[in-house]
RNA sequence: GCCCGUGUGGCGGAACUGGUAGACGCGCACGACUCAAAAUCGUGUUCCUUCGGGAGUGGGGGUUCGAUUCCCUCCACGGGCACCA
């Protein structure tokens, strides 16, 4: 039997699409646009199954929207700066640029073999000077607006590699590469003022209706808005104040101490005159920052000997501690401790024998219970009470509910001038400086006389030097003999370039906007951006739920404030797909085995030479567990369409997809089945373009026609809702019906031909190569990718008769055929007349009959 | 600890707004074709059953004529955040 040669035919159609420039987009103002984008890949080496899934989903949407008449933009590029390139350079002695572009070449080829409807004419890599020049312009624009600024900040410092580490690069308090204990250092760093938009970014989450609720929640939590008060505690004996932030001003009368962060400026100042404090601060700095270390670390403090005055009770004095659990980054870096109603404060108070003063009690306690509650909490409890209730022991706040007490407390603070209501965010400004070579250079010069001087626009781009020695560790740009030495653009005196590069998240925060006009002389061309943006459908992994997606939202606002774009929200609809996972295999010694080394069948597995294999957990594909399936191998064996079909068929796209050999085999069978169905001559010959014969609506042909239109309707709905697995199931059902159409008359021949043509149109977005192949075989005009989407004819969506379920007391007893327009009385009469119903009814009289037209008849006895 | 998800056959999963649970696929079994195998096609496949039925969507309870769907509660798994004052 003739077989479908995927390798040859898929390559053929890819070449045709390329030759015809089928997917190159242009701005066509009279047509509705649709911008679909998948998160662009980091060129790490090769495409993995996660990419295949991501780009398959995006391509289905792109091709479907194109068929629906949209002017589709579907571009691709490379997130090409980053640490792995530098590591490869060190390990393999290749230049990061060379390594990166080799990977890009490989991965581009792999993506092309998937048959994606991408506009390759817009391709760029973020490491190209043409791209990062524009990014440097953005940086300078931000600088001009006060959105980029410089300040000293605490960083994770790797003393061996001589570099700053991101939080994610610190594992159990040690540098991820050097293994050396990480130090806290204060360095001059560049920041983007994302906090300026904290409230706006939070508010606007409500408008992102087509984003997953999960992502919206994560962003809300990340921004972390909390309302409370700033309170000034005056130091006894000095005209100085310590500011604290609290969300519980209602518990101020329960305060028994103040605590400063070890990094609080006052802590450092005091340590200058106190060796004991200095050594305590050192101890705090050396403590691990890992989760485990934090969990186990006791609450330690150092009594500074200072005292502050209570803002409401000037006669009351509170001791000031430095405490290891107070974060410098949040609030003011200082807290007041209310042990009765905060667990951490209670732990601390018990350790240092500080007073515990209950000031909130659960409402509706009788006198005795309350007395017991207060005594217990004050004297022995190890758990603080942070529940609701009424305020006690608190002068003017007494008997108020907690929320009312907060308002009253703030009001009094403001009257006294000792504080005011305030909103705090967890969100901090975005530190973008990286002491790395392979990134976008920060376009400023440091001049002894003029300070920080922006590089003038005509001198951009500030390009990375090629002759670089990455072997020395630390910042290679810093070590470069000549690169950093320039004349100050303002005064002409010898000056130094900023040797830091930008965080790679900067590169990905605006690339989607650049795709609208990838070769423009400014970051974005206003007309192109106005036409294409926002991205209508963005697709990617949940791992970017916060950083990338939040930074991009920030960037659009920042660019808007620089008059570079007129947009706030970059992505109107977001879809986060699940991971591709696979069984893990281990041999008798516990060593991991790759799927290629294992033969699986009937729930058992062994190696190819017959040794026993243990089937382990299903996990994300990873090199370390060896449960990786090679994409090239799959595409070479089964073709891209089969891989795509399988990606869509088994699981809903937002859940994890279990890759299985059996699953891909099933998709392969279906691929061939459709090919044979459409290729068999008796099905494709007759009836092209002729009007529907009279008899087609009757009998077997009529049944198939109705199913055809139902399928079109259903698949359309499914694709709109990202229910690809259901669309696949529907197409399966439809193919089953189409194959079993037995009639041989003229009407059947016509329906068969029309049925196959419709099938080809429906599978086009999902299996595009096979679609083109069969479109051609059917004698279709032009390319399938330019054909309109089939329309369901409502006439065929209504049935003459419907099946009605008949229940007795909610249990199914029969099904009956009734005319689809039958009224309640008819349905009830037919149901009661049913033989099976009569048998179950015996002598009983129905007490009640509920008829839901079109659904069910329930007889209650 | 707090905040989200998710629990349905041997497996992946369907079931729109409370109305025939298990669509479709995988796997398995049997059959057809074949000298044989592969491929292909067909039939069956939730469990129990005395073949009348009965049970069943993580467990328990509730609302309803009727619950996978709504409410309460507990359990398991997954994810996010986490000394955030």
């Amino acid at each position: 039997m003739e077989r479908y040669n995927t390798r040859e035919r898929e390559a053929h159609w890819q070449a045709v699409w390329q030759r015809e420039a089928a997917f190159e987009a242009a701005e066509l103002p009279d047509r509705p646009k649709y911008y679909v984008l998948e998160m662009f890949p980091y060129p790490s080496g090769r495409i993995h199954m996660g990419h295949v899934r991501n780009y398959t989903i995006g391509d289905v949407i792109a091709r479907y929207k194109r068929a629906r008449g949209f002017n589709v933009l579907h571009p691709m590029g490379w997130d090409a700066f980053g640490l792995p390139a530098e590591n490869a350079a060190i390990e393999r002695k290749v230049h990061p640029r060379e390594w990166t572009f080799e990977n890009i070449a490989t991965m581009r080829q792999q993506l092309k073999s998937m048959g994606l409807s991408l506009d390759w004419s817009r391709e760029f890599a973020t490491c190209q000077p043409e791209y990062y020049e524009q990014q440097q312009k953005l940086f300078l624009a931000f600088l001009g607006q006060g959105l980029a600024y410089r300040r000293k900040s605490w960083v994770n410092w790797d003393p061996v590699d001589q570099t700053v580490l991101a939080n994610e690069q610190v594992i159990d308090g040690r540098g991820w590469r050097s293994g050396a204990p990480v130090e806290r250092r204060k360095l001059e760093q560049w920041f983007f003022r994302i906090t300026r938009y904290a409230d706006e970014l939070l508010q606007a989450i409500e408008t992102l209706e087509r984003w997953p609720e999960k992502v919206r929640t994560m962003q809300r939590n990340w921004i972390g808005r909390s309302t409370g008060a700033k309170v000034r505690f005056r130091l006894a004996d000095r005209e100085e104040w310590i500011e604290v932030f609290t969300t519980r001003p209602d518990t101020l009368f329960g305060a028994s101490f103040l605590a400063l962060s070890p990094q609080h400026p006052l802590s450092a100042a005091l340590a200058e005159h106190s060796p004991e404090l200095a050594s305590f601060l050192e101890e705090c700095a050396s403590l691990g920052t890992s989760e485990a270390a934090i969990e186990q670390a006791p609450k330690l403090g150092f009594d500074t000997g200072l005292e502050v005055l209570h803002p409401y009770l000037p006669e009351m004095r509170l001791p000031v501690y430095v405490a290891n659990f107070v974060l410098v980054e949040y609030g003011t870096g200082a807290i007041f401790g209310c042990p009765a109603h905060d667990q951490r404060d209670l732990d601390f108070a018990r350790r240092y024998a500080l007073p515990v003063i209950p000031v909130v009690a659960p409402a509706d306690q009788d006198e005795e219970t309350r007395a017991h509650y207060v005594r217990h909490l004050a004297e022995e409890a190890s758990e603080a009470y942070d529940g609701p209730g009424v305020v006690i022991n608190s002068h003017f706040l007494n008997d108020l509910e907690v929320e009312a007490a907060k308002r009253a407390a703030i009001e009094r603070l403001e009257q006294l001038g000792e504080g005011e209501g305030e909103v705090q965010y967890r969100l901090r400004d975005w530190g973008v400086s990286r002491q790395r070579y392979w990134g976008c250079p920060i376009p400023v010069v440091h001049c002894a006389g003029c300070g920080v001087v922006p590089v003038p626009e005509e001198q951009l781009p500030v390009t990375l030097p090629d002759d670089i020695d990455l072997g020395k560790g630390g910042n290679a740009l810093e070590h470069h003999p000549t690169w950093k030495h320039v004349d100050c653009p303002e005064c002409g005196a010898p000056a130094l370039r900023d040797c830091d590069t930008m965080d790679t998240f900067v590169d990905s925060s605006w690339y989607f906007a650049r795709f609208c006009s990838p070769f423009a002389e400014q970051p974005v061309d206003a007309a192109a951006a106005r036409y294409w943006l926002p991205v209508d459908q963005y697709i990617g992994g949940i791992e970017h739920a916060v950083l990338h997606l939040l930074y991009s939202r920030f960037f659009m606002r920042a660019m808007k404030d620089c008059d570079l774009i007129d947009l706030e929200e970059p992505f109107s609809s977001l879809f986060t797909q699940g991971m591709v996972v696979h069984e893990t295999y281990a041999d008798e010694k516990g060593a991991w085995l790759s799927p290629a080394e294992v033969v699986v069948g009937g729930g058992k597995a062994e190696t190819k030479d017959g040794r026993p294999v243990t089937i382990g957990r299903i996990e994300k594909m990873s090199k370390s567990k060896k449960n990786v399936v090679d994409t090239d191998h799959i595409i070479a064996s089964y073709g891209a369409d089969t891989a795509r079909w399988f990606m869509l068929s088994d699981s809903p796209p937002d859940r994890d997809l279990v890759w299985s050999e059996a699953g891909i085999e099933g998709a392969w069978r279906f691929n061939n089945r459709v090919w044979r169905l459409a290729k068999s001559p008796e099905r494709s010959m007759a009836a092209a373009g002729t009007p529907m014969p009279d008899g087609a609506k009757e009998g077997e042909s009529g049944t198939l026609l109705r199913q055809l239109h139902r399928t079109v309707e259903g698949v359309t709905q499914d694709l709109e809702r990202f229910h690809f697995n259901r669309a696949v199931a529907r197409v399966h059902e439809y193919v089953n019906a189409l194959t079993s159409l037995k009639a041989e008359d003229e009407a059947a021949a016509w329906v068969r031909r029309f049925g196959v043509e419709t099938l080809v149109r429906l599978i086009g977005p999902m299996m595009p190569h096979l679609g083109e192949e069969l479109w051609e075989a059917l004698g279709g005009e032009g390319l399938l990718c330019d054909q309109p989407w089939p329309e369901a004819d409502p006439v065929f969506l209504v049935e003459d008769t419907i099946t009605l379920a008949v229940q007795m007391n909610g249990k199914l007893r029969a099904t009956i055929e009734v005319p689809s327009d039958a009224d309640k009385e008819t349905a009830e009469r037919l149901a009661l007349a049913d033989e099976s119903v009569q048998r179950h009814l015996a002598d009983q009289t129905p007490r009640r009959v509920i008829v839901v037209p079109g659904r069910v008849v329930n007889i209650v006895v």
Side-chain angles (χ1 to χ4, degrees), chain A residues 621-670:
Chain A
M621 286 190 181
S622 75
K623 280 181 194 159
S624 60
K625 297 272 167 62
K626 282 196 162 185
N627 59 339
V628 180
V629 176
D630 179 60
T631 55
D632 277 354
H633 176 69
I634 294 296
I635 290 176
S637 317
Y638 300 101
D641 284 340
T642 296
R644 293 168 60 121
W645 188 254
F646 174 59
M647 283 292 172
L648 298 167
S649 65
D650 251 28
S651 299
D654 51 343
R655 288 202 216 166
D656 288 353
L657 172 81
V658 184
W659 181 276
S660 72
E661 198 64 18
I664 190 79
E665 287 283 351
W668 171 239
R669 276 200 292 277
F670 182 74

Side-chain angles (χ1 to χ4, degrees), chain A residues 550-814:
Chain A
L550 191 61
Y551 292 155
S552 299
R553 298 179 61 216
F554 156 69
F555 247 72
M556 291 306 102
R557 287 171 169 79
M559 285 169 71
K560 187 181 183 187
D561 285 351
C562 298
D563 284 326
L564 292 165
I565 207 162
D566 188 20
L567 186 76
E568 274 121 29
E569 288 299 334
F571 313 119
S572 25
S573 186
L574 172 70
F575 189 86
T576 51
Q577 96 267 6
M579 296 185 297
V580 181
V581 296
H582 196 287
E583 281 179 332
T584 48
Y585 306 109
D587 66 13
E588 62 268 60
K589 289 176 199 138
W592 298 111
L593 295 168
S594 76
E597 299 170 277
V598 174
V599 184
V600 189
K604 287 187 180 173
E606 54 180 36
T607 60
K608 289 195 166 152
D609 49 5
R611 288 180 296 130
V613 168
T614 318
I615 302 181
R617 287 172 51 123
I618 294 174
E619 294 191 59
K620 180 178 183 177
M621 286 190 181
S622 75
K623 280 181 194 159
S624 60
K625 297 272 167 62
K626 282 196 162 185
N627 59 339
V628 180
V629 176
D630 179 60
T631 55
D632 277 354
H633 176 69
I634 294 296
I635 290 176
S637 317
Y638 300 101
D641 284 340
T642 296
R644 293 168 60 121
W645 188 254
F646 174 59
M647 283 292 172
L648 298 167
S649 65
D650 251 28
S651 299
D654 51 343
R655 288 202 216 166
D656 288 353
L657 172 81
V658 184
W659 181 276
S660 72
E661 198 64 18
I664 190 79
E665 287 283 351
W668 171 239
R669 276 200 292 277
F670 182 74
N671 193 316
N672 284 300
R673 202 170 157 217
V674 172
W675 185 81
R676 282 195 305 273
L677 173 62
K679 279 285 208 179
S680 42
E682 73 274 17
R683 294 187 200 280
S684 60
M685 297 263 292
T690 59
M692 191 194 305
D694 287 342
K697 291 185 187 172
E698 313 301 327
E700 229 195 326
S701 319
T703 307
L704 187 74
L705 270 178
R706 282 191 293 278
Q707 176 153 12
L708 180 153
H709 287 281
R710 267 206 318 278
T711 303
V712 169
E713 175 69 13
V715 171
T716 305
Q717 292 298 321
D718 290 338
L719 294 189
E720 289 285 349
R721 293 175 196 164
F722 280 70
H723 293 166
F724 305 115
N725 55 324
R726 296 207 313 209
V728 164
R730 254 185 246 276
V731 172
H732 268 287
E733 280 179 287
Y734 174 60
V735 168
N736 288 344
L738 197 54
T739 348
S740 45
L741 176 62
K742 290 289 182 292
E744 291 297 344
D745 53 16
E746 184 204 0
W750 189 93
V751 167
R752 206 171 266 131
R753 150 80 205 197
F754 180 59
V756 170
E757 182 186 319
T758 304
L759 170 66
V760 169
R761 286 178 199 262
L762 287 177
I763 62 166
M766 302 183 263
M767 299 199 289
H769 309 88
L770 183 63
E772 296 288 2
E773 183 77 10
L774 298 179
W775 182 252
E776 186 186 54
L778 291 173
E781 293 268 319
L783 290 173
L784 176 65
C785 64
D786 294 324
Q787 300 306 313
W789 188 248
E791 300 256 355
D793 184 343
V795 169
F796 290 96
L797 296 178
V798 285
E799 300 279 350
D800 296 344
T801 64
I802 48 170
T803 310
L804 219 52
V806 183
Q807 300 177 335
M808 293 181 71
N809 294 335
K811 276 192 170 43
L812 183 71
R813 292 301 181 196

